[in-house]
Amino acid sequence: MQIIQIPCRQDNYAVLIHDDETNLTLLFDAPEHEPIAKILQANGWDLDAILITHYHYDHVEAAASLKNQFNAKVYGPKLRSEGQDYINHYIQDLKEIRFGNIHIQIFQTPGHIPEQIVYYIPSLKSAIVADTIFSLGCARILGGTAQELFQSLELLKQLPDDTNLYCGHEYTQSNGEFAISIDPNNQALIKRIAEVKMLRSKNLPTLPTTLSNEKSTNPFLRCYDAEIRKTLNMQNASDEAVFTELRLRKDSF
Ligand code: ZN
Ligand code: FE
């Protein structure tokens, strides 16, 4: 089984999973038609299913066109307002979905927007986190609440530490500037920022990251940390209050 991260648009990523044994191919998010179709065709793969994390246009713009070209089925969360006509199956109420040998766990992770799904594939030690967690950062609040996002990140923190996190955007470098302003003496963070600078200077992706990596460097997963609390002058606040303050500060950074 293989997993491929595909750069799309300005700074988006889509993720493909292909199972050689069953010849099944799944796509997670559809930000742009061409780069995804190119990889499918270069490998001679059909597309069996498209799984949507959330309905921001930069994650779904090519969903209908890829569905039509490859005759794929599309899965995604149900919107509170209205449905999307290219969706075949609403899956927000499922805990798990299986395609042949590929078992996927489904997590409700509101916060960025109310309807967002994270897909976790234990056999690949991988989670498609899209716009919930970014490397060194987290989602902006665009319809959900900071409290919801905090709870969603707490849920994702329960995954095994060696889980690969496939984030929806290459935001790591700019996120690092905020992170280091909040947590300036964090040696793991200083090291990560240097690595990110090197990778980006060669136009290489900084993703996927791992949960353990983020736990040691990402301020939004470190609200308990004494140094971060000192910076914010919030020594006795709850983790959730620290998170909310970090999110507010990042918005105007
Ligand atoms: Zn989004
Ligand atoms: Fe996005």
Side-chain angles (χ1 to χ4, degrees), residues 148-199:
E148 285 175 333
L149 187 58
F150 174 75
Q151 293 302 338
S152 294
L153 300 195
E154 288 297 302
L155 176 71
L156 297 175
K157 274 167 89 173
Q158 312 295 316
L159 293 173
D161 272 347
D162 61 353
T163 303
N164 297 301
L165 304 179
Y166 285 84
C167 310
H169 291 269
E170 181 60 64
Y171 288 161
T172 316
Q173 197 156 25
S174 63
N175 284 343
E177 290 168 20
F178 175 73
I180 199 72
S181 78
I182 296 294
D183 196 10
N185 301 314
N186 180 337
Q187 292 308 307
L189 175 58
I190 291 166
K191 227 179 106 193
R192 172 68 169 151
I193 286 173
E195 177 196 48
V196 165
K197 193 175 170 199
M198 187 272 290
L199 288 167

Side-chain angles (χ1 to χ4, degrees), residues 12 54 56 58-59 112 131 134 168-169 171:
N12 277 86
H54 68 300
H56 282 155
D58 60 311
H59 297 257
H112 178 49
D131 290 2
F134 297 116
H169 291 269
Y171 288 161

Side-chain angles (χ1 to χ4, degrees), residues 6 69 93 97 107-108 122 153 159 179 183:
I6 307 171
Q69 183 178 345
D93 296 329
I97 183 166
F107 295 110
Q108 305 302 320
L153 300 195
L159 293 173
D183 196 10

Side-chain angles (χ1 to χ4, degrees), residues 2-253:
Q2 49 184 309
I3 182 162
I4 301 173
Q5 178 175 258
I6 307 171
C8 295
R9 307 172 70 94
Q10 282 285 90
D11 53 31
N12 277 86
Y13 291 111
V15 176
L16 264 188
I17 291 179
H18 180 76
D19 183 4
D20 302 299
E21 222 172 284
T22 58
N23 209 28
L24 274 169
T25 308
L26 310 180
L27 171 69
F28 295 86
D29 281 350
E32 189 182 2
H33 190 97
E34 272 318 305
I36 296 167
K38 234 166 104 180
I39 292 204
L40 289 167
Q41 283 159 342
N43 287 284
W45 295 340
D46 274 329
L47 184 59
D48 296 282
I50 303 171
L51 294 96
I52 301 297
T53 61
H54 68 300
Y55 297 109
H56 282 155
Y57 71 97
D58 60 311
H59 297 257
V60 296
E61 200 166 49
S65 61
L66 287 166
K67 174 191 181 178
N68 292 338
Q69 183 178 345
F70 294 92
N71 197 22
K73 293 269 182 285
V74 188
Y75 299 74
K78 195 175 186 88
L79 283 183
R80 280 180 198 165
S81 45
E82 60 185 278
Q84 307 288 322
D85 55 8
Y86 53 80
I87 295 282
N88 298 101
H89 301 285
Y90 291 113
I91 52 171
Q92 70 284 343
D93 296 329
L94 300 181
K95 293 240 177 308
E96 192 185 67
I97 183 166
R98 296 175 178 214
F99 297 88
N101 301 327
I102 311 173
H103 296 189
I104 302 168
Q105 292 178 22
I106 293 172
F107 295 110
Q108 305 302 320
T109 52
H112 178 49
I113 60 171
E115 306 85 1
Q116 174 144 19
I117 284 178
V118 162
Y119 298 99
Y120 172 51
I121 307 107
S123 63
L124 288 169
K125 292 180 186 288
S126 294
I128 314 300
V129 297
D131 290 2
T132 56
I133 301 179
F134 297 116
S135 185
L136 305 184
C138 73
R140 289 204 301 147
I141 309 295
L142 297 174
T145 67
Q147 184 183 16
E148 285 175 333
L149 187 58
F150 174 75
Q151 293 302 338
S152 294
L153 300 195
E154 288 297 302
L155 176 71
L156 297 175
K157 274 167 89 173
Q158 312 295 316
L159 293 173
D161 272 347
D162 61 353
T163 303
N164 297 301
L165 304 179
Y166 285 84
C167 310
H169 291 269
E170 181 60 64
Y171 288 161
T172 316
Q173 197 156 25
S174 63
N175 284 343
E177 290 168 20
F178 175 73
I180 199 72
S181 78
I182 296 294
D183 196 10
N185 301 314
N186 180 337
Q187 292 308 307
L189 175 58
I190 291 166
K191 227 179 106 193
R192 172 68 169 151
I193 286 173
E195 177 196 48
V196 165
K197 193 175 170 199
M198 187 272 290
L199 288 167
R200 294 312 293 153
S201 73
K202 298 179 182 167
N203 209 18
L204 293 171
T206 64
L207 300 163
T209 181
T210 62
L211 184 56
S212 67
N213 223 331
E214 294 309 311
K215 280 183 175 175
S216 63
T217 56
N218 187 331
F220 293 96
L221 302 185
R222 298 170 55 73
C223 297
Y224 60 84
D225 182 77
E227 291 292 316
I228 290 176
R229 287 164 166 262
K230 213 169 85 188
T231 306
L232 301 176
N233 200 16
M234 293 180 77
Q235 281 87 343
N236 299 314
S238 68
D239 285 6
E240 188 187 301
V242 170
F243 178 84
T244 303
E245 176 65 19
L246 282 174
R247 190 53 269 177
L248 269 175
R249 288 192 183 209
K250 176 71 164 56
D251 284 339
S252 54
F253 181 72

